[in-house]
């Protein structure tokens, strides 16, 4: 198993999508549009879903896992660049839905510690799960956090994502914050019932 920085020609987009499919769907207006959007911007630098923010796990030549992350202090800039790149790729009639998603996510997203490394995406191919790949990707991110002088790893996931929550708790993450959607409309706008934020010291 090898873990290395992602390259523009790596086929990691499907795993990036799987890391937060319901939220990408809510943002883009459906799975097909969300996948096309991610494919279009993955090779472009300077945003939260860019190849340059990703680390990939390989088994032979096959990409079997991906982790996207960055220091929390860079998050707002990277998110703004993602929005600037992606919204024009969506049909204008979908923009109001996307804006509702952004507003709801802005209100409900947990607030990670400012001096942490934020894991924005983590996914492992279905047939490679339960082999320690996610933990190895998190180990790699924790090492990067220590080398950058950051306090630890922060991440969040959907309240309904029991598998991810079990993984993070087993890895040693501590639950910091729970943000529930106050209404069914807000839950629909963000793509789920809310978020739980975690932190693990480096």
């Amino acid at each position: 198993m090898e873990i290395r920085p992602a390259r523009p020609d790596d086929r990691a987009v499907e795993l990036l999508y799987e890391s937060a499919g319901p939220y990408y769907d809510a943002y883009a207006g459906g799975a097909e549009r969300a996948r096309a959007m991610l494919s279009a911007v993955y090779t472009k630098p300077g945003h939260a879903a860019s190849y340059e923010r990703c680390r990939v796990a390989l088994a032979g030549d096959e990409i079997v896992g991906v982790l996207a992350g960055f220091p929390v202090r860079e998050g707002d800039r990277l998110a703004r660049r993602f929005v600037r790149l992606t919204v024009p790729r969506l049909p204008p009639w979908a923009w109001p839905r996307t804006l509702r998603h952004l507003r709801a996510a802005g209100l409900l997203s947990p607030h990670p510690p400012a001096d942490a490394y934020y894991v924005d995406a983590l996914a492992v191919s279905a047939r490679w799960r339960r082999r320690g790949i996610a933990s190895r990707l998190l180990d790699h991110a924790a090492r990067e956090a220590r080398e950058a002088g950051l306090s630890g790893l922060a991440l969040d996931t959907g309240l309904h994502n029991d598998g991810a929550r079990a993984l993070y708790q087993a890895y040693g993450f501590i639950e910091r914050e729970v943000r529930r959607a106050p209404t069914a409309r807000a839950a629909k706008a963000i793509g789920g019932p809310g978020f739980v934020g975690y932190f693990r010291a480096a």
Side-chain angles (χ1 to χ4, degrees), residues 111-185:
H111 301 287
D115 63 345
Y117 182 95
Y118 181 68
V119 177
D120 190 50
L122 176 63
V124 174
S125 297
R127 69 189 187 90
W128 286 89
R129 291 174 189 160
R130 294 181 174 80
R131 302 192 195 189
I133 295 170
S135 293
R136 290 189 62 179
L137 285 163
L138 288 167
D139 288 344
H140 191 89
R143 186 164 58 253
E144 288 191 15
R146 287 192 297 272
E147 291 171 355
L150 299 173
S151 63
L153 300 181
L155 53 79
D156 52 72
T157 192
L159 279 168
H160 61 301
N161 194 343
D162 295 334
R165 294 182 69 177
L167 166 68
Y168 300 144
Q169 289 163 5
Y171 189 78
F173 279 93
I174 303 300
E175 185 178 302
R176 295 184 68 247
E177 192 176 5
V178 174
R179 308 290 296 274
R180 298 183 186 278
T183 64
R185 183 176 181 179

Side-chain angles (χ1 to χ4, degrees), residues 15-169:
L15 284 174
L16 275 180
Y17 170 78
E18 288 180 14
S19 73
Y23 306 101
Y24 281 127
D25 291 353
Y27 179 91
E32 183 177 348
R33 193 175 293 124
R35 286 182 168 98
M37 174 190 75
L38 285 171
S39 294
V41 301
Y42 174 74
T43 60
K44 299 184 181 303
H47 63 88
S50 169
Y51 76 92
E52 64 186 352
R53 296 295 169 180
C54 296
R55 304 293 179 262
V56 292
L58 295 97
D61 293 329
E62 181 183 359
I63 293 175
V64 298
V66 66
L67 182 147
F70 40 82
V72 168
R73 62 180 175 269
E74 298 180 17
D76 287 344
R77 174 179 60 82
L78 296 170
R80 286 193 298 271
R81 167 86 167 147
F82 179 81
V83 171
R84 285 196 302 270
L85 287 171
T86 55
V87 168
R89 297 177 181 278
L90 303 175
W93 56 261
W95 292 352
R97 178 187 305 172
T98 301
L99 291 174
R100 286 194 297 272
H101 171 83
L102 289 170
R103 287 192 197 101
L107 291 171
L108 290 170
S109 295
H111 301 287
D115 63 345
Y117 182 95
Y118 181 68
V119 177
D120 190 50
L122 176 63
V124 174
S125 297
R127 69 189 187 90
W128 286 89
R129 291 174 189 160
R130 294 181 174 80
R131 302 192 195 189
I133 295 170
S135 293
R136 290 189 62 179
L137 285 163
L138 288 167
D139 288 344
H140 191 89
R143 186 164 58 253
E144 288 191 15
R146 287 192 297 272
E147 291 171 355
L150 299 173
S151 63
L153 300 181
L155 53 79
D156 52 72
T157 192
L159 279 168
H160 61 301
N161 194 343
D162 295 334
R165 294 182 69 177
L167 166 68
Y168 300 144
Q169 289 163 5

